[in-house]
Structure formats: C-alpha cells, structure tokens
Amino acid sequence: MKTISKMTALLSLPALALASCANAETGESAEDAGFTVTEMGEFERPWAIEFIPGSTTLAITEKEGRLWLMKADGSKRTEVAGVPEVAFGGQGGFGDVAFLESEADVEGPRTIYLSWVEMGENDTRGAVLGRGMLVC
C-alpha cells in the first residue's frame, strides 16, 4: 500500500504543474495565453468523451445513460440506441467509453467498452464494465 501512496504522491506533483496553463510569475491567465473555448453542443451531465479511432467522430456519455456520437466540428449529433440501462443517482450512472486503437483502419462495426452502474438486489448498485460492437 505504501508503494501506491508514494507513486500517487510522485505523480501528483507533475500533474499539478501541468494542470495550469497560467504563468504564476507574470500573473498571465489561460485566456491571456491564447486558450479559447468554443461551445460544440449542450449535454445533460456529460461524463466521458473519446474519439473513435481513425475518425473525426466523438463518443460522449451522459451520466443519465445516454451515448452520443458527434462530429468533432459539432455539425452532426446522433443518440446511440441499445445502450445498457444504468442506475442513475448520486455517483451512479454512465461512466467511461473507450475504443480499440488497433481498429483505426476498420470499416464498419467497432469494439466499444463502456462502464456504468446497474441496480442490484435489495436496492443495491454495482459498477459494470462491458464490451460491445458499435454499428454505425
């Protein structure tokens, strides 16, 4: 357990240094440094976002249990049907989304990994990791 704690501490310092785009010495903010924000769309509690390898399409999860595909320029957005039912509430809901980078050149269905929370017995909830095929 100590090894994990030491590793976390070692990784935390560089992460903090990289997390800020502001220059502490000059007082320059991220906005002053040229960082701009462009709104691409509105979502209800977005949780995870991932490019589908080899494409300009993003997969975006919403905590309530929706999965969206959206072009990176925001021009087209489609809700994906057939996703698992999630137990939304508190910390529970749809979680991460991931794809196999090795399928970047694949035409057709792609392997997709999702995490979510589902209802269990006696009003319990549990985390789930699943794999499926995304057919577009």
Side-chain angles (χ1 to χ4, degrees):
M1 200 61 141
K2 289 183 181 181
T3 304
I4 293 172
S5 297
K6 287 180 184 177
M7 182 65 79
T8 301
L10 289 174
L11 293 175
S12 296
L13 292 176
L16 286 173
L18 293 173
S20 174
C21 294
N23 185 336
E25 291 178 17
T26 65
E28 180 181 43
S29 71
E31 187 175 289
D32 295 336
F35 184 83
T36 59
V37 175
T38 303
E39 186 174 313
M40 303 298 292
E42 293 185 20
F43 296 88
E44 295 293 324
R45 294 183 182 92
W47 195 256
I49 184 170
E50 179 75 24
F51 273 102
I52 296 176
S55 77
T56 59
T57 301
L58 295 161
I60 303 160
T61 63
E62 287 183 324
K63 200 171 172 187
E64 286 89 346
R66 286 179 291 280
L67 174 64
W68 297 93
L69 299 181
M70 185 176 84
K71 291 293 183 186
D73 65 3
S75 63
K76 184 178 178 185
R77 182 168 122 172
T78 306
E79 186 173 0
V80 177
V83 297
E85 184 177 335
V86 304
F88 170 68
Q91 294 292 320
F94 230 150
D96 288 322
V97 57
F99 294 92
L100 294 174
E101 188 63 40
S102 62
E103 293 181 347
D105 296 328
V106 172
E107 293 290 325
R110 303 288 186 95
T111 305
I112 184 171
Y113 294 86
L114 298 167
S115 65
W116 67 96
V117 174
E118 68 180 5
M119 290 301 295
E121 294 180 18
N122 301 321
D123 201 29
T124 61
R125 297 176 187 200
V128 179
L129 174 64
R131 178 181 68 199
M133 296 303 291
L134 179 64
V135 180
C136 300

